[in-house]
């Protein structure tokens, strides 16, 4: 049954958990991939150090768009994946910005839970066989414009529209043709450790997920600068650069995670469920149909289902978040489906709601009810009198008693797992709890009594506080010396602990600019200095920035801030003086401030404040009193800010 939950959510289960790495306070090792978020011209870019991770990804026999060869972007993609759709305009923008330098190479990676992805890939391969690369890319664009309309009839129509023989395309789809091409691309994906889409390799450097344009542009410019610094020739540079690179990626080293080992007493009541009731592992999911992170978590659930098979039961509990306008109605609709048709109808509605997460208005819910075969008269009556709201609110009360603060939150035999975690986290915790469950069976507990026995040993106490590291006890004060921008009477303050030499700090800056653009005076961004010991020039850069602010105020500080991040490899004392003068600072005053370390105590004060708040690396943002570690994507900031502003 869980296969239905996972497979039907075809358009939402293919995203990566795009977590950026935070450079640790204690670390002295530099990261292997150094990417700035700037988008300067390639002429101004500094050649990247040749210590980045690269893997040799073949480009032969694959569709190519663009004529440049200084930068080759090999992309593994899925025509039914919404996140691949998002990155397609980025590829087009890169090709337009760097027409003489960049080419894009397409590799097929249709995900197994996207039912139309493989037929679409077969159709695309057939179109290329008939019309060449130019025809393939026209068809590629047409598919992504219609990624939710990939039936065989539509694929044949789209192929005809771009000039292909429609009958040959239909025969290819229905006969499962071109499997050798798909198998070769899948084997290559496995070799370079691609596990989801979209996945890119820029001159062999991995960049996973639908990252913002700035992340792509920064890496592209570093590669252009490197190629030009070595006098590269377009025709042979890719092969020359990757001649000594490995042809496969080694698995990442195991990462130790600090796990919450509390076992919570989580009731399953009469909630919708999938899987056998006496399974070794019962996973209770507190979920919100309008939450993008709940959709992202489906990949981890699928991996756990494949790993545990029939030994997994999934139980659904309602937890619509208050700032999701249509979530409560969607949950009431799902509960009505459960009342009318039991588990089968519930999961059909569940899958449809997630597949149409942005179409949950009341009239759209009625359309979903009709699509899954509900009695519309009964459905309308249930929605009108909100007869299921009490059930939803009861689930919310249970969630709060267990310390649930957001979605998705999972409990595996009572052990908590929060957020859209990677597959390894689900599988690792699943192994732990299934071993404990098996030990109970070995001691004579019957399968029918297993979950109840596990819950008897659990706690039913509400956690006294949030898990360590997620939230501060109060909103920290903003010191007078800290530069700020945004609303002076803002409702939410974001204090960002940052390091001018940290590449990941560069990545968060466009996100913060977007936050200010979207939320205006409701949000204020505050800069706090946290130069890391392993960055040689970071502390002096911080002192220079403080002096620029002392001379010219916040506006000049932010101009200087932007200039430093745009030139992270040019932060020597002479560079800092040059940058300072260019934003209007007095050179002699700046020289004296740097020579006598006039502002070192202010830097130290920010570092002490960071330690007191539990900040361990950069960038770290304190949003209100929530701690956000790393260069997190805009969507996460948006979710958090919406919640805080709603409160």
């Amino acid at each position: 049954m869980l296969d239905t939950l996972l497979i039907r959510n075809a358009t939402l289960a293919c995203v990566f958990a795009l977590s950026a790495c935070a450079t640790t306070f204690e670390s002295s090792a530099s990261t292997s991939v150094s990417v700035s978020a700037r988008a300067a011209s390639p002429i101004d870019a500094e050649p990247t150090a040749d210590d980045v991770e690269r893997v040799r990804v073949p480009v032969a026999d694959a569709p190519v768009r663009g004529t440049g060869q200084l930068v080759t972007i090999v992309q593994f993609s899925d025509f039914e994946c919404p996140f691949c759709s998002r990155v397609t305009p980025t590829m087009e923008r890169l090709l337009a910005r760097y027409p003489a330098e960049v080419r894009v190479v397409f590799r097929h990676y249709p995900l197994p839970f996207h039912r139309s992805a493989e037929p679409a890939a077969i159709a695309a391969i057939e179109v290329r066989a008939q019309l060449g690369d130019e025809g393939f890319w026209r068809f590629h664009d047409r598919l992504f414009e219609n990624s939710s309309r990939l039936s065989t009839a539509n694929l044949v129509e789209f192929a005809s529209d771009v000039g292909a023989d429609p009958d040959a395309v239909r025969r290819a789809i229905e006969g499962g043709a071109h499997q050798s091409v798909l198998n070769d691309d899948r084997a290559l994906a496995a070799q370079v450790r691609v596990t989801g889409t979209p996945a890119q390799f820029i001159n062999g450097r991995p960049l996973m997920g639908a990252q913002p344009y700035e992340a792509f542009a920064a890496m592209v410019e570093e590669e252009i600068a490197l190629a030009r610094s070595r006098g590269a020739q377009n025709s042979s540079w890719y092969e020359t650069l990757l001649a000594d690179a490995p042809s496969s990626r080694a698995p990442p080293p195991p990462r130790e995670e600090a796990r919450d080992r509390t076992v919570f007493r989580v009731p399953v009541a009469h909630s919708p469920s999938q899987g056998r009731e006496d399974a070794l592992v019962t996973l209770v999911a507190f979920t919100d149909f309008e939450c993008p992170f709940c959709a992202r978590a489906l990949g981890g659930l699928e991996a756990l289902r494949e790993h545990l098979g029939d030994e997994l039961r999934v139980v659904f509990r309602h937890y619509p978040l208050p700032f999701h306008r249509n979530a409560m109605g969607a949950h009431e609709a799902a509960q009505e489906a459960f009342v009318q048709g039991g588990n089968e109808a519930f999961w059909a509605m569940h899958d449809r709601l997630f597949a149409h997460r942005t179409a949950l208005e009341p009239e759209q819910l009625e359309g979903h009810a009709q699509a899954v075969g509900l009695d519309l008269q009964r459905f309308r009556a249930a929605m009108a009198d909100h007869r299921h709201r009490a059930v939803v609110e009861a689930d919310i009360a249970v969630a709060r008693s267990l310390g649930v603060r957001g979605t998705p939150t999972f409990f595996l035999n009572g052990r908590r797992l929060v957020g859209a975690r990677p597959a390894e986290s689900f599988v690792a915790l699943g192994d732990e709890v299934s071993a404990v469950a098996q030990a109970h069976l070995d001691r004579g507990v019957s399968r029918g009594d297993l979950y109840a026995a596990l819950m008897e040993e659990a706690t039913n106490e509400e956690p006294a506080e949030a898990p360590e590291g997620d939230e501060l006890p109060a909103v920290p004060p903003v010191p007078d010396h800290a530069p700020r921008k945004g609303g002076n009477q803002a409702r939410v303050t974001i204090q960002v602990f940052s390091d001018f030499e940290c590449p990941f700090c560069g990545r968060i800056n466009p996100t913060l600019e977007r936050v200010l653009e979207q939320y205006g005076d409701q949000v204020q961004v505050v800069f706090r200095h946290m130069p890391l010991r392993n960055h040689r020039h970071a502390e002096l850069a911080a002192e220079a920035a403080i002096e620029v602010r002392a001379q010219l105020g916040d506006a000049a500080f932010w101009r200087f801030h932007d200039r430093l991040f745009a030139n992270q490899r040019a932060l020597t004392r002479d560079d800092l003086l040059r940058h300072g003068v260019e934003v209007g600072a007095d050179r002699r005053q700046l020289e004296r401030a740097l020579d006598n370390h006039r502002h070192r105590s202010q830097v130290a004060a920010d570092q002490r404040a960071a330690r007191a708040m539990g900040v361990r690396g950069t960038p770290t943002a304190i949003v209100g009193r929530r701690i956000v570690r790393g260069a997190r994507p805009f969507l996460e900031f948006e979710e958090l800010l919406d919640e805080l502003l709603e409160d």
Side-chain angles (χ1 to χ4, degrees):
M1 294 291 286
L2 182 59
D3 290 338
T4 307
L5 158 66
L6 297 165
I7 294 172
R8 288 184 184 173
N9 278 313
T11 60
L12 290 167
C14 51
V15 71
F16 284 95
L18 299 176
S19 56
C21 301
T23 308
T24 60
F25 212 25
E26 297 81 7
S27 172
S28 60
S30 62
T31 182
S32 63
V33 181
S34 175
V35 182
S36 162
R38 65 193 180 89
S41 72
I43 296 174
D44 296 333
E46 294 286 339
T48 184
D50 203 21
D51 60 352
V52 297
E53 178 190 4
R54 295 188 194 272
V55 60
R56 188 168 67 252
V57 186
V59 298
D61 302 323
V64 178
R65 175 182 267 178
T67 58
Q69 293 185 32
L70 291 184
V71 181
T72 298
I73 303 175
V74 182
Q75 183 182 49
F76 290 84
S77 190
D78 171 320
F79 289 115
E80 199 175 351
C81 166
F83 304 97
C84 297
S85 294
R86 291 183 191 177
V87 84
T88 298
T90 296
M91 296 295 106
E92 295 173 355
R93 187 175 172 188
L94 290 170
L95 289 167
R97 175 70 179 84
Y98 309 102
E101 295 87 9
V102 171
R103 63 175 173 169
V104 175
V105 178
F106 187 94
R107 291 289 190 183
H108 296 279
Y109 194 63
L111 298 172
F113 46 82
H114 286 159
R115 288 181 297 177
S116 301
E118 182 166 320
I122 291 171
I125 296 168
E126 174 62 27
V127 168
R128 182 176 184 243
Q130 294 183 32
L131 303 176
D133 282 5
E134 184 178 351
F136 168 85
W137 289 106
R138 292 199 305 272
F139 190 62
H140 163 283
D141 295 347
R142 189 70 185 270
L143 295 188
F144 276 122
E145 289 166 2
N146 297 274
S147 59
S148 63
R149 300 176 57 242
L150 299 182
S151 66
T152 296
N154 286 337
L155 292 171
V156 171
E157 178 187 339
F158 300 152
S160 179
D161 290 344
V162 301
D165 179 343
D167 293 333
V169 172
R170 182 183 297 277
R171 287 194 299 271
I173 295 170
E174 293 177 349
H178 305 301
Q179 289 299 316
S180 62
V181 177
L182 289 178
N183 290 339
D184 287 347
D185 279 3
R186 286 180 174 127
L188 178 59
Q191 188 172 312
V192 297
R193 297 191 64 78
V194 169
T195 57
T197 55
Q200 294 80 209
F201 292 84
I202 301 179
N203 278 359
R205 296 169 63 180
L207 184 63
M208 299 296 144
Q211 301 268 7
Y213 170 79
E214 292 80 6
F216 282 92
M219 196 178 288
V220 165
E221 287 174 358
E222 289 182 351
E223 291 303 307
I224 293 172
L226 177 65
R228 290 180 175 171
S229 73
R230 297 189 180 178
Q233 298 299 314
N234 241 345
S235 59
S236 60
W237 174 239
Y238 185 73
E239 291 73 17
T240 301
L241 177 65
L242 299 179
D244 297 324
S247 58
S248 61
R249 296 175 70 198
R255 184 177 64 185
E256 291 296 326
E257 292 190 68
R259 289 192 184 146
D260 178 0
R261 298 192 176 276
T262 305
V263 179
F264 294 89
R265 186 174 299 168
V266 186
V268 295
H270 302 290
S271 300
S273 65
Q274 288 184 323
R276 51 191 285 184
E277 292 185 4
D278 61 355
L280 278 179
V281 177
T282 293
L283 181 150
V284 182
F286 287 91
T287 302
D288 175 325
F289 287 118
E290 203 172 348
C291 166
F293 303 103
C294 296
R296 293 185 187 184
L298 294 173
L301 282 172
E302 179 192 26
L304 184 61
R305 179 67 182 90
E306 291 178 355
H307 186 64
L308 294 179
D310 290 342
E311 294 296 353
L312 178 67
R313 170 175 62 154
V314 174
V315 177
F316 184 94
R317 303 300 297 261
H318 301 280
Y319 195 64
L321 299 172
F323 50 86
H324 284 156
R325 186 168 56 91
N326 296 314
M328 176 60 80
H331 282 264
E332 292 181 33
Q335 188 64 25
E336 172 61 20
F338 184 50
V339 169
Q340 286 196 31
N343 281 323
E344 184 176 356
F346 171 83
W347 291 109
M349 177 64 96
H350 168 284
D351 299 342
R352 187 169 179 87
L353 294 178
F354 266 127
H356 300 82
R357 186 174 54 79
T358 59
L360 301 179
E361 298 285 349
E363 64 277 8
Q364 294 166 321
L365 291 175
E366 185 169 318
H368 301 325
Q370 183 175 19
V372 300
L374 299 188
D375 181 316
L376 288 185
Q377 186 173 352
R378 291 174 59 188
F379 180 82
R380 292 185 188 113
M383 297 302 289
D385 64 19
H386 301 289
R387 66 186 61 168
H388 302 305
R389 182 158 295 184
V391 174
V392 176
E393 290 176 343
D395 276 5
I396 293 171
V398 170
R400 289 175 176 164
S401 74
L402 296 167
V404 174
R405 298 190 312 279
T407 55
T409 296
F410 307 98
F411 293 88
L412 284 73
N413 285 2
R415 291 276 300 279
R416 182 168 53 191
L417 189 66
V418 179
R421 305 297 294 277
E424 310 89 76
S425 296
F426 282 91
V427 171
L429 185 53
D431 282 345
E432 286 186 33
V433 301
S434 61
V436 173
Q438 184 61 54
H440 279 66
L441 295 181
D442 294 342
R443 290 198 296 269
V445 175
S446 70
R447 273 190 168 268
D449 295 332
L450 177 59
Y451 189 71
L454 293 169
M455 292 301 97
E456 284 178 6
E457 301 173 5
T459 179
N460 59 358
E461 296 179 3
E462 183 175 355
E465 58 184 10
E468 182 181 355
D470 286 349
E471 195 168 308
L472 298 172
V475 176
V478 177
D480 291 339
H481 68 253
R484 62 205 73 192
K485 59 181 172 179
N488 290 327
Q489 303 296 323
R491 296 170 60 197
V492 177
T493 298
I494 304 175
Q495 298 195 49
V496 183
F497 287 87
S498 189
D499 172 321
F500 288 114
E501 204 171 349
C502 165
F504 303 102
C505 297
R507 293 184 187 181
I508 200 176
N509 292 331
T511 298
L512 296 175
E513 290 297 330
R514 188 174 171 189
V515 163
L516 289 171
E517 180 180 349
Q518 178 159 319
Y519 291 93
D521 289 344
Q522 295 184 91
V523 172
Q524 183 179 73
V525 173
V526 177
F527 188 93
R528 305 295 296 272
H529 296 281
M530 191 173 165
L532 302 175
R533 289 197 300 268
N534 54 299
H535 289 155
R536 275 194 310 158
H537 306 298
E539 185 165 354
L540 198 64
E543 293 179 27
I546 295 169
E547 174 61 23
V548 167
R549 180 176 186 261
Q551 290 186 31
L552 301 171
D554 279 359
F557 167 86
W558 290 107
R559 292 198 304 273
F560 190 66
H561 164 283
D562 294 346
R563 189 165 184 84
L564 296 192
F565 276 115
N567 296 274
Q568 284 188 303
R569 292 185 179 84
L571 298 181
T572 65
R573 179 181 181 279
D574 288 343
D575 291 327
L576 294 171
L577 292 172
R578 174 168 53 84
H579 299 323
V581 170
E582 287 172 353
V583 301
D586 181 282
R587 181 185 178 94
R588 294 189 65 181
Q589 290 185 50
L590 183 55
E591 283 180 331
R592 287 195 293 270
L594 296 182
D595 290 343
N596 62 26
H597 299 291
R598 180 183 304 161
H599 304 296
R600 180 169 287 178
S601 62
Q602 195 174 116
V603 175
D606 276 0
Q607 290 174 318
R608 287 194 300 272
R611 292 190 184 97
M613 294 181 205
V615 174
R616 299 190 299 272
T618 58
T620 296
I622 311 297
V623 184
R625 59 192 183 97
R626 305 278 185 89
I627 301 178
V628 180
R629 304 183 193 278
R632 311 301 297 173
F634 172 77
L635 187 60
E636 291 194 24
F637 278 90
E638 183 180 47
E639 286 281 318
L640 177 54
L641 286 167
D642 285 346
E643 177 187 349
L644 295 176
L645 291 169
E646 178 73 19
D647 289 343

